[in-house]
Amino acid sequence: MSERIPAVVALGMFDGVHLGHRALIGQNVAEANRLGAKPVVFTFSNHPMEVLGGGVRLLSSIPERDDLLRALGAEEVASVAFTRELAALSAEQFVELLLERWDVRALVVGYNYTCGVRGAGTPETLAEIGKTRGFSVLVVPPVLLEGASVSSTRVREALEQGDVELAQRMLKRRYTLAGTVIENRRIGRRIGFPTANIAPETNRVIPKDGVYATVACVNGASYCAVTNIGTNPTVHGDHLTIETHMIDFDQDIYGERLTVAFRRYLRGELMFSSLDELKEQIRLDILSASTR
């Protein structure tokens, strides 16, 4: 077996990499530097709730999350599959799994972190194990924003309420959805406002139905845009779509990967009595999205 590398290991799911996660990774990197060790993140390639029976929608794809963690200074991101076997480990067995992989000098966890069967591995439990196994445990307190703790749950709730600006403050970046541009009914093009439609990953958080000012990124370039999330009742839509009109842009991008970054909520989805009314509202939406 190869020699284990001295490491300070941050533990968590890190969905979205919000302000609380950023504080934790900051502590991880600082402690690793102090101890002359490698800053490492141990996380999962699927959300534990998917295995434990309570599905959850994600704030970031796994590759996106891992890239964000590396950008914050993690020199290694170990993203392993969460399984029922892993869930059944005791806290001691979970720690042993980490010790087999690295020469752990410290663990860095959030104040509400748990591991092991039935969540028995609390920060206090890990600290007790660390006393006998030669590592310390740093516990990062909650990060508050506007009087409340920042959490992945709170970010999800903000997005589901259409408050993409609060989500941006908690994430320290705009919330994004990405997908391949697919063909739809081309109604937008027929009324003079062509849209690019994407189908993001099925387990992603979708913001509240409505119209948003966004930034659309495709082929390395960014464009001011308006994005509609909803069922298009005016034209008798029957399923949820995410369609983006890029302002002053008219290129064929079918099959290209499009990323949509949400700037602010403009209005709810409306039912118009005619296509002319819809066209006028889209014109107003574009005007609003072009400001600020």
Side-chain angles (χ1 to χ4, degrees), residues 8-109:
V8 173
V9 185
L11 302 175
M13 184 63 200
F14 302 102
D15 183 29
V17 192
H18 56 59
L19 292 175
H21 298 143
R22 289 170 178 268
L24 197 152
I25 298 302
Q27 286 264 27
N28 183 50
V29 172
E31 184 69 359
N33 289 339
R34 188 181 76 82
L35 296 176
K38 183 178 184 180
V40 167
V41 173
F42 182 86
T43 186
F44 303 114
S45 58
N46 57 311
H47 199 286
M49 292 305 293
E50 295 174 13
V51 173
L52 300 176
V56 63
R57 292 191 177 273
L58 299 178
L59 296 166
S60 52
S61 69
I62 299 303
E64 179 186 16
R65 180 206 61 186
D66 292 355
D67 285 346
L68 287 167
L69 292 171
R70 292 187 189 95
L72 292 172
E75 293 182 15
E76 180 182 349
V77 178
S79 185
V80 305
F82 187 87
T83 62
R84 290 198 175 276
E85 291 74 22
L86 193 58
L89 295 179
S90 67
E92 291 81 2
Q93 289 171 323
F94 178 74
V95 167
E96 194 61 39
L97 182 150
L98 301 176
L99 293 172
E100 287 174 2
R101 188 161 184 163
W102 300 286
D103 175 10
V104 177
R105 303 297 174 85
L107 298 178
V108 185
V109 298

Side-chain angles (χ1 to χ4, degrees), residues 82-182:
F82 187 87
T83 62
R84 290 198 175 276
E85 291 74 22
L86 193 58
L89 295 179
S90 67
E92 291 81 2
Q93 289 171 323
F94 178 74
V95 167
E96 194 61 39
L97 182 150
L98 301 176
L99 293 172
E100 287 174 2
R101 188 161 184 163
W102 300 286
D103 175 10
V104 177
R105 303 297 174 85
L107 298 178
V108 185
V109 298
Y111 68 101
N112 58 353
Y113 177 79
T114 61
C115 65
V117 65
R118 291 185 292 278
T122 64
E124 294 76 19
T125 304
L126 293 174
E128 287 300 314
I129 297 171
K131 289 177 183 177
T132 62
R133 301 307 303 269
F135 62 81
S136 60
V137 175
L138 280 69
V139 182
V140 179
V143 172
L144 302 181
L145 178 70
E146 299 169 18
S149 177
V150 175
S151 67
S152 297
T153 297
R154 188 178 171 204
V155 178
R156 290 186 195 103
E157 290 172 350
L159 291 169
E160 288 164 355
Q161 294 164 8
D163 196 345
V164 294
E165 292 174 284
L166 174 58
Q168 178 178 339
R169 293 194 294 277
M170 289 190 284
L171 294 170
K172 208 174 180 181
R173 60 184 176 87
R174 289 176 178 144
Y175 183 67
T176 62
L177 291 175
T180 301
V181 178
I182 56 176

Side-chain angles (χ1 to χ4, degrees), residues 198-237:
I198 61 169
E201 295 171 286
T202 55
N203 64 341
R204 287 296 303 276
V205 176
I206 306 298
K208 172 185 173 181
D209 287 7
V211 178
Y212 295 83
T214 57
V215 175
C217 305
V218 64
N219 292 328
S222 299
Y223 304 89
C224 186
V226 175
T227 297
N228 183 85
I229 298 175
T231 57
N232 300 292
T234 303
V235 294
H236 311 295

